[in-house]
Amino acid sequence: MLKVDKETFKKDYEEKFIEIHGKDLSDGTDYNKYEALASLTRDYVVKMWISTNKNYNFTGEKQVYYFSMEFLLGRLLGNALLNLGIRDVCKEALSDFNIDLNKLEALEQDQGLGNGGLGRLAACFLDSMASLNIPGHGCGIRYKYGFFEQKIINGMQIETQDDWLKNNNVWEIKKPDKAQIVKFGGQVNTISENGNLKFVHTGYEAVLAVPYDVPIIGYENNIVNNLRLWSAEPLYDEFDFSSFSRGEYLKALEYKNSVEAISQVLYPDDSVYEGKRLRLKQQYFFVSAGIQSIIRHFKVYGKAPLNDLDEKIAIHINDTHPTLAIPELMRILMDEEGYGWDEAWRITTNTMSYTNHTILSEALEKWPIDMFKKLLPRIYMIIEEINRRFCEELWNKYIGQWDKISKMAIIADGYVKMAHLAIVGSHSVNGVAKLHTEILKKQEMKDFYYFYPNKFNNKTNGITHRRWLIKANPQLTTLIKDTIGDSFIKHPTDMEAFERYASDKEVQQRLHEIKISNKKRFAEYLKEKQDISINPDSLFDVQVKRIHAYKRQILNCLRIMELYRKLIENPNLDIVPKTFIFAGKAAPGYHLAKKTIELINAVANKINNDPRVNEKIKVVFVENYKVSVAELIVPAADLSEQISTTTKEASGTSNMKFMMNGAVTIATLDGANIEIRDEVGDDNIIIFGLTEREVLDYYHKGGYSAWDMVNRDYRIKQVTEDTINGFYCSDKERFRAIYENLVTYNDEFFVLKDFDSYLKAQERADNLYKNFPKWQSMCAVNIAHSGIFSSDRTIQEYATGIWGSGYLYKNL
Ligand SMILES: *Cc1c(COP(=O)(O)O)cnc(C)c1O
């Protein structure tokens, strides 16, 4: 572990400041001071990074590569200091200079290379792999522009570019000597050489993939793993510069632009299939570069012949986006390394594993054959052969069952189906929560499950407690340490011992005070950022996540509208004063999601300006939800809204963050909410809504009528009409799309069906909150049982159950 005492740190820091800024510390701006601190921290890290690498090369230990289109890391400085074990020393040292560490940390840009849960999961996994001594590395794209920044103007979402690289990014190191070439387009010719077929790729466009490495620091264990992000650059060797004079200049420029477009921007859509050629190009780009660099490294340091690759390397495919890793590895093994099909296939399938993240059919990736073939001719040939062999196996098993076979084929109906390729080409397919995995096996992928029963398994998601508890909620961390000691930091399930304090008066009082203090911290942020004041003594009722119909922000909004109507009618209604907090981005092309943001803001505008209800309710929409904002909101929440239509949220991870910070959950029995319920028991969570059975029956047999709901329940009639009768907005047409979607189009997410049950659940929440000891005890039980949702548990399961890697595996 890094040993730095306060005086050494102070000396190092002052020297570093002078070195990079050429002036004295006392003349520096806060941002100068942040830069010096980040840069010094990086220096400490680099030494461990090099020695970790040397050690991996020396031992030849199995390496895991986690391929993901998204890594939503957030800020790095605070967690780097925490994991290095020097955050306290650093804090004291800086305070000797009159510098507030928290303030410097808050100046850092988020690394926002992801949309939401999927990208954040990848980030939590990297943290856990490093902290558990697992040689596990990330592989992704260094987007020039991360996820867009959201502003709310006139109640509407406005998107602006996230120019996160405009200031020097101290957390990356460019490695030009490790660049790879990725080839697009062109033709593949088959020639015979000494009786063997050879595939010669010509006329392609070459793109240079340049890696930028980001250190991933383990918790107090001297481990620094690697996140490798690829950037696309033009390859000028390919270009005849003398041709510029012959008017080819424009062509060169065109080439440059088309190359740079590849790593220009992260697609801002969440679980919506985006049929863009550029997206396919992005996917092949990082996957090809990543696999090539793994093989190149393996050949130098691997300490084993290439046929043992699967014993030394595990490659994980996070959702279908990196699925082309499968045919790409096949291509390299066959075309470049000379293996025959069968051996290449054995190595490839043993190396690859795949996580499915969603059953939403619009999110299942597929590519038109024509487009695919033109862009990736050799990869297409390989997929065709994988498909041919797979269909042959199917024919042998399901003689004459053409329907089934064409349903399962990888290439069918004019498309290449990525999920099918991922399943066929991997040795493991996992879902992300128990219910989700069961639905995969019994519904969505049942044909594949029957064909490959042993491939399917569950790995319930998790979150790193180092960021989401220790870093985000230092006061709660202190309370837990004071009561049960600090073993939970290395063994998060030890937090169960905290349950003994659930009814301890003093602990309850401290929990309450900590919550108030976190609420004040968030209130200050909101005041500064959006000039909105909120009351820390009110109940903070929070729904923060991507805006999506299945997540049902509309359901939450409608019940606030109902409560508002009730309060106008009866101003003396005895309710707990509440602040309703929303945050989340809508994909720019997702009309209904953007309208949802508008409706929430219109409701906020009306309610917040109505003196009749101001003492009781307030609605706020927090701009630009991202990891660093989540770190402020989550510890401040009293009530966590996890209200997706049952079966639709594969797992959810913010549900775990909230419980770990002592919020009580109000939830449908969906995703990991079920497992949270199983952990805390029915008395410590508030459950409502349709069951899995009921939802699936509606989908399969029909029978849901939104009109019936409107006609049967006057409250539903009232709130739905309030969206189009001018009550919230003089333009009655503004929210017509929401109304039509709920009522006329018989909303596929059953918002109105769950409305009554949700209202009753909210009433239960209100009554529980009024009972101070009961509520505090619920908070404590939630905290105590949150340890199992640490991503350390999840990663141990991946390591032993899928990858066959890591310390635990070696000691089995
Ligand atoms: C955890 C997290 C998410 C995922 O939230 P869900 O409620 O599980 O969808 C999304 N965005 C950010 C910034 C997060 O930190």
Side-chain angles (χ1 to χ4, degrees):
M1 199 180 120
L2 185 63
K3 286 268 180 293
V4 188
D5 61 44
K6 191 170 108 180
E7 291 312 313
T8 316
F9 187 89
K10 283 167 72 175
K11 191 170 135 288
D12 288 354
Y13 181 65
E14 265 193 302
E15 278 173 11
K16 177 53 79 178
F17 189 95
I18 291 165
E19 178 199 321
I20 67 175
H21 295 303
K23 59 185 176 189
D24 279 338
L25 184 53
S26 53
D27 298 329
T29 63
D30 285 346
Y31 195 76
N32 291 156
K33 291 171 190 165
Y34 156 73
E35 288 177 298
L37 179 59
S39 176
L40 174 61
T41 307
R42 192 185 84 163
D43 289 352
Y44 290 146
V45 169
V46 165
K47 289 168 199 148
M48 287 185 196
W49 203 358
I50 294 168
S51 72
T52 301
N53 249 321
K54 278 199 176 134
N55 188 257
Y56 290 159
N57 292 339
F58 177 74
T59 61
E61 208 183 321
K62 189 167 192 176
Q63 306 285 305
V64 177
Y65 295 93
Y66 195 83
F67 277 52
S68 178
M69 274 291 260
E70 304 185 13
F71 288 94
L72 196 56
L73 298 177
R75 292 180 180 140
L76 298 183
L77 176 59
N79 284 80
L81 293 169
L82 177 75
N83 284 10
L84 289 171
I86 59 169
R87 192 158 180 275
D88 291 338
V89 168
C90 167
K91 200 172 167 109
E92 284 167 29
L94 291 174
S95 78
D96 282 2
F97 295 124
N98 253 324
I99 299 172
D100 176 0
L101 174 61
N102 288 319
K103 201 165 137 196
L104 295 196
E105 285 174 357
L107 296 175
E108 183 179 347
Q109 283 264 344
D110 277 45
Q111 314 242 345
L113 305 184
N115 274 293
L118 176 142
R120 184 55 231 173
L121 185 77
C124 284
F125 280 6
L126 293 180
D127 184 78
S128 283
M129 286 192 283
S131 297
L132 294 171
N133 298 342
I134 291 169
H137 315 283
C139 178
I141 298 177
R142 179 183 181 266
Y143 302 100
K144 182 164 178 210
Y145 299 105
F147 197 23
F148 69 84
E149 295 216 20
Q150 177 197 56
K151 288 215 162 51
I152 303 296
I153 295 174
N154 297 328
M156 292 190 292
Q157 167 174 296
I158 303 296
E159 301 101 27
T160 57
Q161 258 176 1
D162 170 28
D163 195 1
W164 71 294
L165 291 168
K166 69 174 179 285
N167 298 317
N168 170 39
N169 174 14
V170 303
W171 302 113
E172 62 181 16
I173 296 185
K174 185 176 183 174
K175 302 273 174 70
D177 58 313
K178 301 217 159 90
Q180 306 290 337
I181 291 172
V182 179
K183 300 170 182 174
F184 293 101
Q187 305 81 41
V188 176
N189 295 312
T190 317
I191 57 169
S192 177
E193 208 178 77
N194 310 325
N196 290 323
L197 282 186
K198 283 207 71 169
F199 297 90
V200 185
H201 194 178
T202 56
Y204 51 80
E205 180 180 271
V207 173
L208 193 66
V210 183
Y212 289 72
D213 288 352
V214 181
I216 304 295
I217 305 158
Y219 184 79
E220 297 190 354
N221 65 357
N222 291 320
I223 297 282
V224 179
N225 286 339
N226 205 22
L227 166 59
R228 179 157 283 184
L229 300 175
W230 297 94
S231 177
E233 291 185 10
L235 188 72
Y236 283 117
D237 295 357
E238 297 283 304
F239 245 89
D240 177 7
F241 272 83
S242 63
S243 68
F244 285 6
S245 55
R246 298 199 299 271
E248 294 275 300
Y249 180 74
L250 282 178
K251 218 170 176 182
L253 207 63
E254 200 183 296
Y255 165 68
K256 180 172 180 287
N257 290 338
S258 101
V259 167
E260 285 170 355
I262 295 172
S263 53
Q264 191 81 1
V265 58
L266 166 79
Y267 271 85
D269 52 42
D270 194 57
S271 63
V272 177
Y273 162 71
E274 184 51 73
K276 290 263 171 69
R277 182 172 170 274
L278 181 58
R279 192 172 171 117
L280 179 58
K281 223 169 162 179
Q282 289 186 321
Q283 295 184 355
Y284 183 66
F285 167 74
F286 91 92
V287 153
S288 173
I291 302 274
Q292 288 184 66
S293 97
I294 290 168
I295 298 292
R296 184 163 94 167
H297 185 266
F298 185 82
K299 285 169 77 175
V300 179
Y301 298 101
K303 294 186 186 299
L306 210 51
N307 7 7
D308 290 344
L309 187 81
D310 54 315
E311 283 171 26
K312 295 289 179 179
I313 302 276
I315 295 174
H316 200 84
I317 299 172
N318 190 29
D319 210 331
T320 52
H321 321 131
T323 302
L324 297 180
I326 293 163
E328 176 66 1
L329 182 55
M330 288 295 286
R331 181 188 71 76
I332 294 173
L333 291 172
M334 294 188 304
D335 296 2
E336 292 177 12
E337 303 295 338
Y339 285 98
W341 182 278
D342 291 336
E343 182 63 356
W345 185 244
R346 183 194 66 75
I347 297 168
T348 300
T349 50
N350 283 342
T351 303
M352 302 286 171
S353 49
Y354 155 63
T355 296
N356 174 285
H357 280 270
T358 178
I359 58 161
L360 295 181
S361 53
E362 66 268 32
L364 287 180
E365 287 194 301
K366 51 184 189 178
W367 306 107
I369 290 176
D370 280 350
M371 182 178 100
F372 198 110
K373 228 188 213 168
K374 264 192 213 125
L375 190 65
L376 304 167
R378 178 60 185 139
I379 294 299
Y380 184 75
M381 290 169 80
I382 293 170
I383 295 174
E384 254 185 335
E385 182 61 13
I386 296 173
N387 185 51
R388 194 189 64 74
R389 288 168 184 249
F390 175 56
C391 288
E392 203 168 84
E393 279 184 66
L394 292 176
W395 281 322
N396 293 334
K397 182 155 177 176
Y398 304 121
I399 297 160
Q401 297 183 45
W402 297 102
D403 270 7
K404 193 194 220 40
I405 294 165
S406 72
K407 241 170 58 197
M408 293 174 76
I410 297 166
I411 302 175
D413 320 319
Y415 290 99
V416 179
K417 299 183 175 174
M418 298 289 266
H420 296 192
L421 178 58
I423 297 170
V424 175
S426 302
H427 68 278
S428 166
V429 177
N430 75 281
V432 290
K434 284 177 188 163
L435 176 68
H436 170 60
T437 302
E438 285 311 304
I439 292 173
L440 284 182
K441 295 204 290 200
K442 299 207 177 111
Q443 311 264 339
E444 297 307 308
M445 303 197 155
K446 66 167 188 276
D447 291 337
F448 286 98
Y449 175 57
Y450 288 124
F451 193 69
Y452 298 123
N454 298 325
K455 281 194 189 187
F456 284 75
N457 63 90
N458 176 246
K459 297 286 171 280
T460 299
N461 281 169
I463 54 165
T464 168
H465 60 290
R466 286 167 291 276
R467 179 175 293 263
W468 296 107
L469 174 61
I470 302 171
K471 178 65 182 44
N473 203 339
Q475 295 185 68
L476 180 57
T477 305
T478 303
L479 173 60
I480 302 171
K481 279 187 197 165
D482 288 352
T483 46
I484 64 166
D486 61 8
S487 71
F488 72 95
I489 292 175
K490 289 253 162 129
H491 305 283
T493 49
D494 286 359
M495 273 196 286
E496 276 177 30
F498 191 64
E499 186 165 4
R500 286 205 304 278
Y501 297 86
S503 37
D504 181 308
K505 288 258 154 3
E506 204 186 310
V507 167
Q508 291 194 348
Q509 188 55 33
R510 274 184 75 185
L511 277 175
H512 173 68
E513 283 160 14
I514 290 165
K515 190 62 80 182
I516 294 283
S517 157
N518 289 328
K519 285 157 109 171
K520 285 183 178 155
R521 181 176 69 167
F522 170 62
E524 279 163 26
Y525 169 86
L526 197 62
K527 179 74 192 158
E528 195 193 311
K529 279 278 172 184
Q530 291 174 236
D531 198 25
I532 295 173
S533 302
I534 53 176
N535 173 13
D537 292 323
S538 63
L539 183 160
F540 282 14
D541 177 325
V542 180
Q543 187 175 21
V544 292
K545 48 186 77 245
R546 287 302 295 275
I547 312 292
H548 207 293
Y550 85 81
K551 291 177 183 277
R552 300 202 294 189
Q553 281 91 357
I554 290 281
L555 175 59
N556 190 353
C557 192
L558 290 179
R559 70 89 193 206
I560 296 169
M561 292 159 64
E562 197 274 339
L563 179 60
Y564 179 41
R565 280 282 183 190
K566 231 162 59 184
L567 279 171
I568 297 173
E569 246 170 60
N570 177 9
N572 296 321
L573 195 69
D574 175 31
I575 61 155
V576 175
K578 292 189 180 89
T579 303
F580 302 104
I581 297 167
F582 290 87
K585 294 174 185 175
Y590 188 175
H591 184 65
L592 202 63
K594 295 181 92 170
K595 281 288 166 190
T596 302
I597 294 177
E598 277 184 60
L599 178 62
I600 293 166
N601 280 293
V603 169
N605 190 39
K606 174 104 182 172
I607 289 178
N608 301 349
N609 290 302
D610 185 342
R612 291 172 296 179
V613 300
N614 279 174
E615 299 291 303
K616 297 219 161 121
I617 54 175
K618 181 151 191 169
V619 182
V620 298
F621 192 96
V622 184
E623 274 180 347
N624 203 31
Y625 186 56
K626 53 182 172 176
V627 172
S628 60
V629 174
E631 286 170 52
L632 291 171
I633 295 179
V634 169
D638 295 302
L639 192 62
S640 159
E641 299 275 349
Q642 307 299 338
I643 61 176
S644 54
T645 309
T646 295
T647 72
K648 294 293 178 183
E649 187 77 89
S651 163
T653 48
S654 77
N655 44 5
M656 302 166 185
K657 300 168 193 165
F658 282 108
M659 82 177 292
M660 193 175 274
N661 282 277
V664 171
T665 308
I666 182 164
T668 49
L669 283 176
D670 198 16
N673 300 344
I674 297 171
E675 288 157 76
I676 293 176
R677 192 267 322 256
D678 293 346
E679 283 298 320
V680 301
D682 285 306
D683 290 345
N684 294 296
I685 188 167
I686 301 157
I687 297 294
F688 74 98
L690 292 170
T691 61
E692 177 207 0
R693 204 47 291 136
E694 290 166 326
V695 168
L696 293 178
D697 277 352
Y698 274 138
Y699 284 137
H700 296 148
K701 300 179 193 155
Y704 172 62
S705 164
W707 261 117
D708 280 359
M709 305 312 305
V710 172
N711 292 325
R712 249 191 270 153
D713 188 331
Y714 72 96
R715 300 165 308 173
I716 294 180
K717 192 171 168 61
Q718 176 72 263
V719 293
T720 50
E721 281 178 2
D722 278 350
T723 62
I724 50 166
N725 61 12
F727 189 61
Y728 288 100
C729 178
S730 54
D731 174 4
K732 293 184 182 176
E733 294 308 304
R734 189 169 181 193
F735 302 117
R736 166 84 47 193
I738 290 179
Y739 177 87
E740 299 286 350
N741 195 68
L742 284 174
V743 181
T744 318
Y745 303 129
N746 213 31
D747 161 47
E748 61 178 309
F749 299 110
F750 312 118
V751 166
L752 303 183
K753 185 75 198 172
D754 274 345
F755 189 74
D756 176 63
S757 164
Y758 184 48
L759 252 51
K760 288 186 174 125
Q762 289 292 357
E763 216 172 297
R764 294 205 295 282
D766 210 79
N767 289 328
L768 287 164
Y769 190 82
K770 285 175 187 159
N771 180 346
F772 182 88
K774 173 63 192 160
W775 185 268
Q776 297 305 328
S777 140
M778 289 174 79
C779 297
V781 171
N782 272 273
I783 295 163
H785 287 275
S786 67
I788 193 149
F789 298 108
S790 165
S791 45
D792 287 6
R793 185 268 311 150
T794 315
I795 283 299
Q796 277 162 11
E797 291 177 2
Y798 275 89
T800 55
I802 299 178
W803 303 327
S805 70
Y807 170 81
L808 280 153
Y809 184 78
K810 281 171 284 180
N811 286 277
L812 274 180

